[in-house]
Amino acid sequence: MSSKDRILARIRRALAEPERPSGAEPAGDIPRDYLPVHGDRTPAESADLLAAHLSEYRAKVHRTDGAGLPALLARLLAARGARTVLVPPALPAHWLAAADAALVRDRAESTPYELDAVDSVVTGCALAVAETGTIVLDGGPDQGRRRISLIPDHHICVVRVPEQLVDSVPQALARLDPTRPLTWISGPSATSDIELDRVEGVHGPRTLEVVLVGAQ
């Protein structure tokens, strides 16, 4: 059997097609012998690792506690000069209570042009992965639809530590619902051409700021 036949046989099995080419091997168990996590860390060490990797990806990382979150978000939006901020439907109201910016609610009828005109967006997250410096959104009530985290040029994402922080991707996958619209974010949007000239903001926010709440 050729490599092509084996690939096609696996695709047919994955699609649960009853027919299989003659000589095709039955599907076996997928080996899961990789390490679920690399190292043993305290919650504080995991938060430090997440912050370090996010910074390497050119994201801006801030730390505060629950009481200091409204004032910090207000400062970040003021420093950006944001006059309007897009908010998901169930973003906690007190998060932006101190912000001097008009709140723009996400609506199904909002056009990409209207979303692009908003200065900033503030969301929560589903969880964050320390080993990869990744923020995961799943469209939850405090995150909103995927498009609101992709179109505005400035995204502030709040991560509650340690409850929303995991060390590794396998740990993240065990906690995430694969049927939800998952968006994995590692730093601001960026791409490079064949000469490795980096361009930011092509496929999403040019500026990503991550606030670790409870990770002082």
Side-chain angles (χ1 to χ4, degrees):
M1 179 184 291
S2 68
S3 297
K4 177 181 178 181
D5 291 332
R6 282 194 291 271
I7 292 171
L8 292 176
R10 291 170 183 166
I11 293 174
R12 292 187 180 94
R13 288 196 296 271
L15 295 174
E17 293 184 0
E19 297 183 0
R20 188 169 66 230
S22 176
E25 301 173 358
D29 293 335
I30 299 175
R32 304 288 186 183
D33 53 357
Y34 48 76
L35 292 175
V37 65
H38 300 84
D40 185 18
R41 306 179 188 89
T42 66
E45 290 171 337
S46 296
D48 289 342
L49 184 61
L50 173 66
H53 284 157
L54 284 168
S55 297
E56 289 176 1
Y57 296 143
R58 302 189 187 183
K60 300 177 182 178
V61 182
H62 312 274
R63 304 190 190 214
T64 187
D65 56 18
L69 179 60
L72 174 59
L73 292 178
R75 289 198 301 272
L76 297 181
L77 292 169
R80 178 76 181 186
R83 293 172 295 179
T84 55
V85 55
L86 187 62
V87 296
L91 193 80
H94 70 278
W95 283 13
L96 295 173
D100 186 21
L103 304 186
V104 179
R105 302 292 176 182
D106 179 34
R107 301 175 300 117
E109 58 269 25
S110 297
T111 68
Y113 298 100
E114 290 172 335
L115 297 177
D116 187 51
V118 176
D119 295 319
S120 302
V121 59
V122 176
T123 74
C125 73
L127 51 78
V129 185
E131 289 184 352
T132 60
T134 304
I135 307 298
V136 185
L137 309 183
D138 67 357
D142 65 344
Q143 302 155 54
R145 285 171 290 185
R146 175 179 289 156
R147 65 179 190 166
I148 74 170
S149 64
L150 297 178
I151 298 178
D153 203 43
H154 178 225
H155 181 192
I156 301 176
C157 185
V158 177
V159 182
R160 299 192 308 273
V161 176
E163 57 264 39
Q164 289 186 315
L165 180 59
V166 297
D167 280 310
S168 67
V169 171
Q171 290 178 343
L173 292 174
R175 288 179 49 174
L176 293 168
D177 181 351
T179 65
R180 296 192 63 80
L182 301 178
T183 303
W184 299 67
I185 303 170
S186 294
S189 168
T191 188
S192 297
D193 61 17
I194 195 171
E195 296 181 351
L196 301 182
D197 291 327
R198 179 183 173 98
V199 178
E200 297 181 349
V202 176
H203 309 296
R206 195 184 317 270
T207 303
L208 172 65
E209 301 199 60
V210 178
V211 179
L212 305 184
V213 179
Q216 292 268 41

